[in-house]
Structure formats: structure tokens, C-alpha cells
Amino acid sequence: MKVLGKSVSVLIIALFAVSMAGCHLFSNRTIDKVERSLTSCGVKNVRTYSELLNTSLQLKNSSKAASYYFCYDEEAEKRFLKEFNKSLKLPKYQPVCFMAAFVAEQNKSGVQTTSVHTAEFRTEQETKRTYEQAAKELWMKKDDGKQVEDENCSYTITYLKNGNTTTVYGVYSMGTSVTTIWATVDHKGINIFLEEFCKKMKWVSPASIVPVEE
């Protein structure tokens, strides 16, 4: 009976762990879809934001450095204000959860970097207002751009050239989340991680509007 009791206890603990993991694994929230896409692209979860900031140090021993940080409630609000809403021009809503990711890849043309920030809100109205303001800010600083309003995903994508460096930007509104992406691309407008990630999310890559140089 003692053995049976222990087995039942272990089973209950295992089922609880699986159910908690399943909240992310099977969730339809966009932020969880973003997380699944990041992990399938080889981006690893870190426990603290300081670890995320040190991601680029991994390039000393590897051609790719990739980390993401997920947080909730008060920590989500803090990170949203400091990293997503730096200009303080966005509505000061309190997101349910927040995620930030950073990827750097070394290739023949140098190092391409990508940052992804996603905030999940409580209502569609909060999401809409945040997206509209974020898109407005982005639209004011561009060499070229594209805005699309869609039932499933509204997005604004632009790019800026500064000398030999081209940076692409995107703001995506899907469900009750808003995601911002900025990334550097090579002379052909390519960033391998960016393309892979956007493909998994079924989003139009912001690099798609960059003119290809011969």
C-alpha cells in the first residue's frame, strides 16, 4: 500500500507539472505562439532579464547567440514600460505578461541581430490602442513601409538605411497581443533567423520590403 501511495503521489505531481506546462504548450494566446516559434528556432529561455542582456557574450564560443525572457504581472509591467514603451507615448496599460528575445548570428557578412518584444493585454481595446500608437511612431521614421489591416493580424513594417547598415522594423497585432521586431539585415536584405521566425508565425517579414542590392 505504501508503494501504491507513493506511485499515486508521483503521478499526481507529474500530471500537475504537465498541466502547467500545457498552459503554454497548447495555449492559443499569441504570446505563447511567439514563445513556441522562438524555441523551435533554437532560442532558449533564461531566468533573469540580466541573462538576456548578456546573450551576445555567447558569440565568443558560437556563431549564434539566442535567449528569451518571459515574465508576468508587476515584472511584465516594469519591462513593458522600460523596453516596449521607452518613448512613453504608448498607453500605459498593464500587460498580463511580457516577453523579450534577442538573437545574434555571425555569418560571412558580419553579425545580424534581432530583437522581439511581445506584450499580452487583457482586452482587444487595449491591444488595438497600443498597436495603433506603436505603428504611428514607427511610420514616422522610415525610408519605405507597408501597413496592412487584417482580420487575423494587422501589421506595420518599415526599414531605415544608415550608411552600410539597414535596420528593419515591424509591429504586429494579433489576438490580444502586440509584438515589435527590429533586426539588422545584410546587403541583400537577409536575416536568416528573422525569416525563419516570421515564417513560423505566418507573418510578413519586415525585411520583405528592403530593395535587394546586386
Side-chain angles (χ1 to χ4, degrees), residues 78-102:
K78 176 182 177 182
R79 293 303 165 196
F80 172 71
L81 290 174
K82 286 193 173 183
E83 309 303 328
F84 199 109
N85 191 12
K86 289 181 179 180
S87 68
L88 300 179
K89 293 181 180 179
L90 301 182
K92 294 180 175 60
Y93 297 129
Q94 298 178 356
V96 177
C97 47
F98 177 80
M99 183 167 56
F102 178 76

Side-chain angles (χ1 to χ4, degrees), residues 138-162:
L138 185 61
W139 197 249
M140 294 171 65
K141 302 175 182 180
K142 67 184 181 67
D143 285 332
D144 195 7
K146 180 178 181 181
Q147 286 187 308
V148 175
E149 296 294 327
D150 191 272
E151 292 182 359
N152 297 317
C153 176
S154 297
Y155 63 91
T156 298
I157 53 178
T158 71
Y159 75 90
L160 287 171
K161 283 197 171 186
N162 184 9

Side-chain angles (χ1 to χ4, degrees), residues 4-194:
L4 179 60
K6 289 182 179 180
S7 299
V8 171
S9 297
V10 171
L11 180 60
I12 291 173
I13 293 172
L15 288 173
F16 177 75
V18 169
S19 67
M20 291 300 292
C23 291
H24 281 294
L25 188 61
F26 301 108
S27 171
N28 287 323
R29 291 190 314 181
T30 301
I31 196 168
D32 294 323
K33 292 179 181 179
V34 171
E35 182 180 25
R36 291 194 293 269
S37 295
L38 288 171
T39 55
S40 65
C41 289
V43 185
K44 297 182 179 180
N45 183 219
V46 292
R47 295 182 179 181
T48 66
Y49 194 76
S50 60
E51 288 183 76
L52 177 68
L53 295 179
N54 290 328
T55 298
S56 59
L57 297 178
Q58 299 170 21
L59 285 177
K60 292 181 179 180
N61 302 310
S62 176
S63 61
K64 181 177 180 178
S67 302
Y68 76 90
Y69 174 67
F70 204 125
C71 57
Y72 301 87
D73 304 324
E74 292 181 3
E75 178 70 7
E77 180 182 5
K78 176 182 177 182
R79 293 303 165 196
F80 172 71
L81 290 174
K82 286 193 173 183
E83 309 303 328
F84 199 109
N85 191 12
K86 289 181 179 180
S87 68
L88 300 179
K89 293 181 180 179
L90 301 182
K92 294 180 175 60
Y93 297 129
Q94 298 178 356
V96 177
C97 47
F98 177 80
M99 183 167 56
F102 178 76
V103 177
E105 288 185 293
Q106 176 78 49
N107 55 37
K108 294 181 180 179
S109 58
V111 178
Q112 261 83 58
T113 58
T114 306
S115 287
V116 180
H117 293 86
T118 301
E120 188 79 22
F121 299 98
R122 290 173 173 80
T123 67
E124 291 183 0
Q125 182 64 20
E126 291 182 357
T127 305
K128 181 180 179 180
R129 289 195 61 195
T130 301
Y131 166 73
E132 288 176 345
Q133 187 59 40
K136 181 180 179 181
E137 285 189 57
L138 185 61
W139 197 249
M140 294 171 65
K141 302 175 182 180
K142 67 184 181 67
D143 285 332
D144 195 7
K146 180 178 181 181
Q147 286 187 308
V148 175
E149 296 294 327
D150 191 272
E151 292 182 359
N152 297 317
C153 176
S154 297
Y155 63 91
T156 298
I157 53 178
T158 71
Y159 75 90
L160 287 171
K161 283 197 171 186
N162 184 9
N164 296 324
T165 302
T166 301
T167 306
V168 297
Y169 303 88
V171 182
Y172 303 80
S173 176
M174 187 174 177
T176 52
S177 81
V178 177
T179 298
T180 62
I181 297 175
W182 72 258
T184 57
V185 298
D186 64 19
H187 67 286
K188 293 185 177 181
I190 296 175
N191 176 315
I192 295 175
F193 167 78
L194 174 67

